[in-house]
Each structure stands twice: as structure tokens, then as C-alpha cells.
Amino acid sequence: MSIICPTVLAETPADFREQMERVAPFATRIQIDLMDGDFAPTKSIAPIQVWWPEELVADIHLMFRQPINHLETLISLEPHMIILHAEAEGDLLGMMRHLQKLDIKAGVALLKDTPVSAAKELIMQADHALLFSGDLGRFGGEADMAVLSKIAELQTLHPDIEIGWDGGANVSNAAQLAQSGVAVINVGGAIQSAANPAQAYRELTQSIK
């Protein structure tokens, strides 16, 4: 069963609050995108400024070159999951194991051009693999459906891994994503920029049933 997961991506605390309050009334699970202005070209609010309503399940997608520098701050927030990029620096495997010991799920994100084979060890440890198809740190990217070809490889390496998608998901392609094996379809601009975000969420949810 696939779910629609609204994304919050903000450069200022005021924008973060606005986006969070926009999706909180209808979302059950959200993804918070954090960018460092280095690994990702844009810079978000700082990890210490992150919050969410306690009734929501919150995943944090950390687009940082050096995730270790902010990991303990994010751990203190007790999110459902923290997703690290396979292309980031540091002992990523050790960080993932540390998260899991603290009962926080560990995810690994793969950029569009990163082959599954390059992150084999991380994928085998991870609870979640995020297939990234868009532009780092921005809403409104175009989904590259060719990235779906990675799903078979992921499932061969780790049959029980939860698969997520980030980048260009909308009502025209959400059904294909779900049918291809994506369990968590993260949606940014198609919800946040909609005239009626709640209706957009409902339509997306209906499209994958």
C-alpha cells in the first residue's frame, strides 16, 4: 500500500511554519527537507529550527555534505526516520547503525545518476531507500521515470526495504510510481503550490488506490 507524503522545504522559519500549517490538517506522514547550501545548491532553515505537530509522522531528508555535524540535533527531535545521501561524506554506515540503535529508522537517498551498486552496503543496512529524481533543494522538478528501473535492484539486495520517491510526483504519475513499487511518494510543489492543498492531497491519494 503506497502513501502520499507531503514535503516541507523552506529557507526561512516563517515559510517553514506556513508550509507545515498548510499540510498538517490532512497529512499523516510528512518529509522535511534540509539543505546545507553546499551539497544542495540552496540552504534551508537550520536543523535546530525544525519542528512538527506531534500527531504527524516525520521523516527528515538531510541533503548535507557532512551529516554528522547535525545528526545529534536531529536525533533529539525523535523523528520517525532520518534519510542520509549515499553521496554525502563521513561514516554513513556507522551513522545509520547509530540511528537504528536509538529506534530511529535510517534511510539512504540515491541521486538520479548514482547506481544502486555504488551504495550496496548502505542499502542492505537501511530501512528505507529514497529514489531522488528531482533537483536538490527545490520544488517543482520533473520526474524522471527511468529511475524506477532501480527498484528491482533494490528489492533484490533488500527485499523488505521501504522504497520512497522524491522529485516531480504529481497526479499524472503517482499511480505509475505506486504500481512500480514506490511505497512513499513524497510530493512537494504539487501540494504546497496548489490553490487547494487539501484537495490536491485527496486527488493524489485517490489516484494511487
Side-chain angles (χ1 to χ4, degrees):
M1 180 71 177
S2 301
I3 64 165
I4 299 297
C5 183
T7 301
V8 175
L9 183 159
E11 297 182 18
T12 68
D15 191 26
F16 183 87
R17 176 173 290 278
E18 182 179 325
Q19 290 186 34
M20 187 67 73
E21 292 178 348
R22 189 177 293 138
V23 301
F26 54 80
T28 56
R29 181 171 173 178
I30 59 169
Q31 178 177 278
I32 297 170
D33 284 349
L34 297 178
M35 303 85 66
D36 61 2
D38 176 19
F39 181 80
T42 54
K43 191 171 185 178
S44 67
I45 62 167
I48 200 169
Q49 296 173 301
V50 169
W51 60 272
W52 58 86
E54 62 179 14
E55 67 271 16
L56 296 182
V57 173
D59 302 333
I60 297 174
H61 177 197
L62 195 58
M63 292 173 266
F64 277 48
R65 191 170 303 282
Q66 296 284 349
I68 189 63
N69 294 339
H70 299 278
L71 205 60
E72 292 306 319
T73 296
L74 295 174
I75 286 170
S76 72
L77 301 175
E78 299 182 354
H80 168 254
M81 177 167 64
I82 296 176
I83 302 168
L84 308 176
H85 264 271
E87 306 83 7
E89 297 174 359
D91 180 10
L92 301 176
L93 193 61
M95 292 179 224
M96 292 171 67
R97 288 172 173 157
H98 180 57
L99 292 173
Q100 290 165 332
K101 285 179 182 177
L102 299 172
D103 291 325
I104 296 173
K105 292 188 182 298
V108 58
L110 304 179
L111 292 177
K112 185 163 51 176
D113 295 331
T114 299
V116 170
S117 58
K120 181 178 178 180
E121 196 173 13
L122 297 173
I123 291 163
M124 292 178 72
Q125 182 68 38
D127 301 293
H128 177 100
L130 180 65
L131 296 177
F132 194 85
S133 161
D135 299 320
L136 282 174
R138 293 188 175 90
F139 282 153
E142 185 172 338
D144 182 350
M145 305 307 272
V147 174
L148 290 171
S149 65
K150 294 180 180 180
I151 290 178
E153 294 178 80
L154 290 171
Q155 293 173 332
T156 297
L157 278 178
H158 191 335
D160 297 324
I161 200 164
E162 180 183 68
I163 296 173
W165 179 275
D166 193 331
N170 55 47
V171 74
S172 70
N173 59 29
Q176 183 181 351
L177 295 173
Q179 291 163 6
S180 298
V182 177
V184 182
I185 303 171
N186 296 288
V187 182
I191 291 176
Q192 292 285 2
S193 301
N196 186 330
Q199 181 179 341
Y201 177 79
R202 286 194 298 271
E203 291 175 354
L204 281 156
T205 299
Q206 187 61 38
S207 76
I208 63 174
K209 286 183 178 178

